[in-house]
Amino acid sequence: HTHTHTRPRPFLFLLPPHALLLLHPQKQTRANRFYFSTNTATFGSLNNLNRDFKSPALHEVLFRDILFVHAPSGVWASYHNVSDNTMSLGRFIGNTGMQCYYNRAGFPMTAGTLQAANTLLCGSTDLYFNALDADGGFYGAGVCSPNQQETFGPCWNAREASGGRFNNGCPWDDPGNSASLGPTRPGSSAGPGEYGLPDLSGDGFTTPAVGFGQAVGLNTGTPGSGQNNMRVFVR
């Protein structure tokens, strides 16, 4: 679009390995999920893009459409009519609450280069928010656990890589760890470093997902450099 009033406006950058809201050990990590919704605090600097950055636009800009652009791959996905332009993305995430999606459809991708075929995505590029962990049906058809690796904020339906300790296949296999931008937490039996992730904080609970980046095999940047990131725009 060429008109200023329709140009997508960025509201935040997510720069793992310390993904937004995952700057602290386990007990604090999930508590900080409200940075995505009701907590209006901002942090970071555009001059220091190997660290997390959050803009006040997350809470101030009313939105209808949302665009995700992954780096360094350049793979992107756009979703139209996610909201009705009456609320900010932060409020939208807060109003959504935690959801057990299981086989439910999400917001379909309107345009983009993201593809689900031959990836760890569960056959779909649909966008979701605040997904509970179904562990591939481990708890029963249509059932999710409220105490496992759920996530808060934007996410995609994916499975963990084969060989992972908690790999249970599709659908919704540890969404916080497999394809999210928000906070997660290990399950009750989890311990530091169990996923074998790059973790500069030393707490063992850093998610490497970068949204759909890990599930599609796009996170080829150097850990800690900010090269692997997701840029999110709304309009």
Side-chain angles (χ1 to χ4, degrees), residues 155-217:
C155 54
W156 289 260
N157 185 1
R159 60 183 174 88
E160 287 203 72
S162 60
R165 179 174 171 184
F166 292 114
N167 176 51
N168 292 293
C170 292
W172 295 106
D173 183 16
D174 301 340
N177 188 54
S178 59
S180 78
L181 290 175
T184 187
R185 62 178 174 185
S188 59
S189 61
E194 70 163 301
Y195 298 117
L197 309 180
D199 179 13
L200 301 185
S201 68
D203 59 44
F205 304 113
T206 302
T207 175
V210 198
F212 52 73
Q214 175 176 260
V216 185

Side-chain angles (χ1 to χ4, degrees), residues 60-75:
E60 297 174 356
V61 175
L62 305 183
F63 89 106
R64 183 183 305 274
D65 306 330
I66 186 167
L67 167 67
F68 300 88
V69 182
H70 180 273
S73 70
V75 172

Side-chain angles (χ1 to χ4, degrees), residues 83-167:
S83 186
D84 57 5
N85 213 36
T86 62
M87 67 182 75
S88 67
L89 181 58
R91 182 180 174 189
F92 177 86
I93 291 172
N95 287 354
T96 298
M98 298 305 299
Q99 299 288 324
C100 181
Y101 292 106
Y102 207 76
N103 288 328
R104 287 161 52 190
F107 295 100
M109 188 174 76
T110 306
T113 57
L114 176 63
Q115 297 183 10
N118 302 313
T119 72
L120 297 181
L121 293 176
C122 293
S124 171
T125 57
D126 284 6
L127 171 67
Y128 297 83
F129 296 86
N130 306 353
L132 290 170
D133 183 4
D135 272 334
F138 179 80
Y139 309 104
V143 180
C144 298
S145 170
N147 300 306
Q148 294 296 318
Q149 292 84 20
E150 74 269 19
T151 193
F152 197 72
C155 54
W156 289 260
N157 185 1
R159 60 183 174 88
E160 287 203 72
S162 60
R165 179 174 171 184
F166 292 114
N167 176 51

